[in-house]
Amino acid sequence: MFRLCIWKNCYCCFIAVLFIGAYMYSDYIGSTILLLSNNSFKIPREKTPNRREASLSCVLVNQTYSCPSNSPGNEDSTISSSSSSTEVCPEYFRWIHEDLQPWRNTGITEEVVMSAKSRAGFRLVIVDGKVYVETYKKDLTIASRDTFTIWGILQLLRKYPKKLPDLDLMFDPHDRPVIKSEDYQGPNAKAPPPIFRYCNQPGFMDLVLPDWSFWGWDRDPYAYWKGNPNVATTRKDLILCNVSEKQDWKARLYVQDWEKETQNGFRESNLANQCTHRYKIYVEGYAWSVSEKYILACDSLTLLIKTDFHDFYTRSLLPMKHYWPIKDGDKCRSIKFAVEWGKNHTEKVKEIGKTASNFIQEEVKMDYIYDYLYHHLNLYAKLLRYKPVIPPMLWSF
């Protein structure tokens, strides 16, 4: 079953994860998370000696993807792999090679990695299976993002112990990409700084990893959306498509007041309760939105307003197979047309909705999330032209 863990309160989430992390590592594997006064912290490797390793669900072979049967005994793994036979890996894995192409010939030097420091939120180094993190800038509005991202990498190391090579990377947990392709073109151009984040867009070279939120129908015949319209012009335009006394564009749109929701314990923000309409609208905010996977998983037909950004899997989504495209410049009429078309094509509406839901539940399941994370970091590490070392400001114990 596809399970989603959603934390609404960033500050409480940050504190809770540190507490849970310290508890799990001290209670289960005899380690702790150490916070240092220089805004750096180290999370030691687990010390359980006899736990059997899980097999990769997806193995790269000659630039293609094949998925072997898992080896016996994987049920003992902390994060078990659900596959029991050979599978075809998701198509979106191929973008790993494409995204790393700018460094294919030159490799990645330490100087190039450090050139991304001014744009990064934290630096993550893996040496001999241990994770070391140094934070550079802290934005309390997204405090839980880096915590969950680091936690996900820790779970990756628990799932596949001793498989990842030493590596050194910079990560920016903010929304929008920052490495413009045009700044690194021409015969005398420098190598672009490799920086990881949650999304990218055409014309940029940022590297994409799964976002932090992966670590957790008799329906109304209208198009549904709920969110904060104040973060983007396209969302403000969308609100104009709401029902009024003079016009019904077949859309039911609701403004999300996060301050009020925080005070009320998020009772009106249950995502499962929002899967009650035949059509769900996805519209980007300041950049991409983590809500896209929840919307696609609903079984409703996703009405997707033109997107500028992509995350690690969305480049495999196809119009009229996984979603219905909505014109950004003519949202209201486009939404109304889709809903009215759906009245006479209910089976097709169900088919597209089900295809999208199956894609999220079967091809973006956690086994593949970890394998994508592994392959991306593994191939990135192979491009490094130096041996990562433990940063001098980090303490060891």
PDB file of all heavy atoms in Angstrom, residues 348-363:
ATOM      1  N   LYS A 348     -13.633   6.965 -19.791  1.00  0.00           N
ATOM      2  CA  LYS A 348     -12.303   7.487 -20.106  1.00  0.00           C
ATOM      3  C   LYS A 348     -11.760   8.303 -18.939  1.00  0.00           C
ATOM      4  O   LYS A 348     -10.564   8.246 -18.625  1.00  0.00           O
ATOM      5  CB  LYS A 348     -12.364   8.354 -21.368  1.00  0.00           C
ATOM      6  CG  LYS A 348     -11.001   8.843 -21.841  1.00  0.00           C
ATOM      7  CD  LYS A 348     -10.076   7.691 -22.225  1.00  0.00           C
ATOM      8  CE  LYS A 348      -8.754   8.199 -22.779  1.00  0.00           C
ATOM      9  NZ  LYS A 348      -7.824   7.090 -23.117  1.00  0.00           N
ATOM     10  N   VAL A 349     -12.638   9.058 -18.283  1.00  0.00           N
ATOM     11  CA  VAL A 349     -12.232   9.824 -17.100  1.00  0.00           C
ATOM     12  C   VAL A 349     -11.711   8.874 -16.022  1.00  0.00           C
ATOM     13  O   VAL A 349     -10.659   9.108 -15.414  1.00  0.00           O
ATOM     14  CB  VAL A 349     -13.414  10.659 -16.566  1.00  0.00           C
ATOM     15  CG1 VAL A 349     -13.089  11.219 -15.182  1.00  0.00           C
ATOM     16  CG2 VAL A 349     -13.734  11.794 -17.525  1.00  0.00           C
ATOM     17  N   LYS A 350     -12.448   7.792 -15.794  1.00  0.00           N
ATOM     18  CA  LYS A 350     -12.023   6.812 -14.796  1.00  0.00           C
ATOM     19  C   LYS A 350     -10.698   6.160 -15.192  1.00  0.00           C
ATOM     20  O   LYS A 350      -9.830   5.921 -14.354  1.00  0.00           O
ATOM     21  CB  LYS A 350     -13.096   5.735 -14.628  1.00  0.00           C
ATOM     22  CG  LYS A 350     -14.377   6.219 -13.980  1.00  0.00           C
ATOM     23  CD  LYS A 350     -15.378   5.078 -13.880  1.00  0.00           C
ATOM     24  CE  LYS A 350     -16.693   5.533 -13.269  1.00  0.00           C
ATOM     25  NZ  LYS A 350     -17.675   4.419 -13.209  1.00  0.00           N
ATOM     26  N   GLU A 351     -10.553   5.879 -16.481  1.00  0.00           N
ATOM     27  CA  GLU A 351      -9.338   5.214 -16.964  1.00  0.00           C
ATOM     28  C   GLU A 351      -8.098   6.080 -16.734  1.00  0.00           C
ATOM     29  O   GLU A 351      -7.068   5.596 -16.245  1.00  0.00           O
ATOM     30  CB  GLU A 351      -9.481   4.905 -18.454  1.00  0.00           C
ATOM     31  CG  GLU A 351      -8.239   4.275 -19.076  1.00  0.00           C
ATOM     32  CD  GLU A 351      -8.362   4.143 -20.579  1.00  0.00           C
ATOM     33  OE1 GLU A 351      -9.504   4.021 -21.078  1.00  0.00           O
ATOM     34  OE2 GLU A 351      -7.316   4.182 -21.268  1.00  0.00           O
ATOM     35  N   ILE A 352      -8.188   7.368 -17.086  1.00  0.00           N
ATOM     36  CA  ILE A 352      -7.039   8.258 -16.903  1.00  0.00           C
ATOM     37  C   ILE A 352      -6.734   8.427 -15.416  1.00  0.00           C
ATOM     38  O   ILE A 352      -5.572   8.395 -14.992  1.00  0.00           O
ATOM     39  CB  ILE A 352      -7.298   9.628 -17.563  1.00  0.00           C
ATOM     40  CG1 ILE A 352      -7.486   9.462 -19.072  1.00  0.00           C
ATOM     41  CG2 ILE A 352      -6.136  10.585 -17.284  1.00  0.00           C
ATOM     42  CD1 ILE A 352      -7.873  10.752 -19.784  1.00  0.00           C
ATOM     43  N   GLY A 353      -7.788   8.600 -14.617  1.00  0.00           N
ATOM     44  CA  GLY A 353      -7.590   8.744 -13.177  1.00  0.00           C
ATOM     45  C   GLY A 353      -6.945   7.519 -12.565  1.00  0.00           C
ATOM     46  O   GLY A 353      -6.041   7.627 -11.727  1.00  0.00           O
ATOM     47  N   LYS A 354      -7.389   6.342 -12.987  1.00  0.00           N
ATOM     48  CA  LYS A 354      -6.842   5.096 -12.451  1.00  0.00           C
ATOM     49  C   LYS A 354      -5.408   4.882 -12.908  1.00  0.00           C
ATOM     50  O   LYS A 354      -4.558   4.407 -12.136  1.00  0.00           O
ATOM     51  CB  LYS A 354      -7.713   3.915 -12.894  1.00  0.00           C
ATOM     52  CG  LYS A 354      -7.352   2.594 -12.220  1.00  0.00           C
ATOM     53  CD  LYS A 354      -7.568   2.673 -10.718  1.00  0.00           C
ATOM     54  CE  LYS A 354      -7.288   1.338 -10.045  1.00  0.00           C
ATOM     55  NZ  LYS A 354      -7.440   1.428  -8.573  1.00  0.00           N
ATOM     56  N   THR A 355      -5.110   5.233 -14.157  1.00  0.00           N
ATOM     57  CA  THR A 355      -3.745   5.087 -14.668  1.00  0.00           C
ATOM     58  C   THR A 355      -2.772   5.944 -13.869  1.00  0.00           C
ATOM     59  O   THR A 355      -1.671   5.503 -13.520  1.00  0.00           O
ATOM     60  CB  THR A 355      -3.682   5.481 -16.155  1.00  0.00           C
ATOM     61  OG1 THR A 355      -4.538   4.613 -16.908  1.00  0.00           O
ATOM     62  CG2 THR A 355      -2.262   5.359 -16.689  1.00  0.00           C
ATOM     63  N   ALA A 356      -3.179   7.178 -13.576  1.00  0.00           N
ATOM     64  CA  ALA A 356      -2.319   8.067 -12.789  1.00  0.00           C
ATOM     65  C   ALA A 356      -2.139   7.535 -11.375  1.00  0.00           C
ATOM     66  O   ALA A 356      -1.029   7.546 -10.822  1.00  0.00           O
ATOM     67  CB  ALA A 356      -2.915   9.471 -12.755  1.00  0.00           C
ATOM     68  N   SER A 357      -3.229   7.068 -10.781  1.00  0.00           N
ATOM     69  CA  SER A 357      -3.156   6.529  -9.424  1.00  0.00           C
ATOM     70  C   SER A 357      -2.243   5.309  -9.369  1.00  0.00           C
ATOM     71  O   SER A 357      -1.411   5.169  -8.461  1.00  0.00           O
ATOM     72  CB  SER A 357      -4.558   6.164  -8.934  1.00  0.00           C
ATOM     73  OG  SER A 357      -4.518   5.617  -7.635  1.00  0.00           O
ATOM     74  N   ASN A 358      -2.376   4.419 -10.359  1.00  0.00           N
ATOM     75  CA  ASN A 358      -1.517   3.235 -10.406  1.00  0.00           C
ATOM     76  C   ASN A 358      -0.052   3.618 -10.588  1.00  0.00           C
ATOM     77  O   ASN A 358       0.847   2.985 -10.021  1.00  0.00           O
ATOM     78  CB  ASN A 358      -1.950   2.311 -11.543  1.00  0.00           C
ATOM     79  CG  ASN A 358      -3.260   1.603 -11.247  1.00  0.00           C
ATOM     80  OD1 ASN A 358      -3.693   1.531 -10.098  1.00  0.00           O
ATOM     81  ND2 ASN A 358      -3.901   1.096 -12.277  1.00  0.00           N
ATOM     82  N   PHE A 359       0.186   4.647 -11.393  1.00  0.00           N
ATOM     83  CA  PHE A 359       1.561   5.106 -11.610  1.00  0.00           C
ATOM     84  C   PHE A 359       2.202   5.525 -10.288  1.00  0.00           C
ATOM     85  O   PHE A 359       3.339   5.145  -9.982  1.00  0.00           O
ATOM     86  CB  PHE A 359       1.572   6.275 -12.594  1.00  0.00           C
ATOM     87  CG  PHE A 359       2.926   6.894 -12.795  1.00  0.00           C
ATOM     88  CD1 PHE A 359       3.836   6.351 -13.682  1.00  0.00           C
ATOM     89  CD2 PHE A 359       3.300   8.026 -12.075  1.00  0.00           C
ATOM     90  CE1 PHE A 359       5.092   6.918 -13.861  1.00  0.00           C
ATOM     91  CE2 PHE A 359       4.552   8.600 -12.246  1.00  0.00           C
ATOM     92  CZ  PHE A 359       5.452   8.044 -13.142  1.00  0.00           C
ATOM     93  N   ILE A 360       1.479   6.309  -9.499  1.00  0.00           N
ATOM     94  CA  ILE A 360       2.028   6.772  -8.224  1.00  0.00           C
ATOM     95  C   ILE A 360       2.221   5.604  -7.263  1.00  0.00           C
ATOM     96  O   ILE A 360       3.267   5.467  -6.611  1.00  0.00           O
ATOM     97  CB  ILE A 360       1.106   7.835  -7.596  1.00  0.00           C
ATOM     98  CG1 ILE A 360       1.077   9.099  -8.466  1.00  0.00           C
ATOM     99  CG2 ILE A 360       1.568   8.177  -6.182  1.00  0.00           C
ATOM    100  CD1 ILE A 360       2.406   9.796  -8.607  1.00  0.00           C
ATOM    101  N   GLN A 361       1.224   4.729  -7.175  1.00  0.00           N
ATOM    102  CA  GLN A 361       1.283   3.661  -6.188  1.00  0.00           C
ATOM    103  C   GLN A 361       2.241   2.535  -6.572  1.00  0.00           C
ATOM    104  O   GLN A 361       2.797   1.874  -5.692  1.00  0.00           O
ATOM    105  CB  GLN A 361      -0.117   3.095  -5.964  1.00  0.00           C
ATOM    106  CG  GLN A 361      -1.084   4.119  -5.388  1.00  0.00           C
ATOM    107  CD  GLN A 361      -2.428   3.531  -5.024  1.00  0.00           C
ATOM    108  OE1 GLN A 361      -2.496   2.515  -4.345  1.00  0.00           O
ATOM    109  NE2 GLN A 361      -3.499   4.158  -5.468  1.00  0.00           N
ATOM    110  N   GLU A 362       2.446   2.320  -7.866  1.00  0.00           N
ATOM    111  CA  GLU A 362       3.272   1.196  -8.298  1.00  0.00           C
ATOM    112  C   GLU A 362       4.665   1.617  -8.775  1.00  0.00           C
ATOM    113  O   GLU A 362       5.638   0.896  -8.553  1.00  0.00           O
ATOM    114  CB  GLU A 362       2.557   0.434  -9.419  1.00  0.00           C
ATOM    115  CG  GLU A 362       1.243  -0.203  -8.965  1.00  0.00           C
ATOM    116  CD  GLU A 362       0.446  -0.784 -10.120  1.00  0.00           C
ATOM    117  OE1 GLU A 362       0.986  -0.810 -11.256  1.00  0.00           O
ATOM    118  OE2 GLU A 362      -0.709  -1.192  -9.897  1.00  0.00           O
ATOM    119  N   GLU A 363       4.775   2.764  -9.428  1.00  0.00           N
ATOM    120  CA  GLU A 363       6.060   3.162  -9.989  1.00  0.00           C
ATOM    121  C   GLU A 363       6.777   4.229  -9.167  1.00  0.00           C
ATOM    122  O   GLU A 363       7.943   4.530  -9.426  1.00  0.00           O
ATOM    123  CB  GLU A 363       5.872   3.649 -11.431  1.00  0.00           C
ATOM    124  CG  GLU A 363       5.309   2.569 -12.343  1.00  0.00           C
ATOM    125  CD  GLU A 363       5.466   2.906 -13.811  1.00  0.00           C
ATOM    126  OE1 GLU A 363       6.475   3.533 -14.172  1.00  0.00           O
ATOM    127  OE2 GLU A 363       4.572   2.550 -14.587  1.00  0.00           O
TER     128      GLU A 363
END
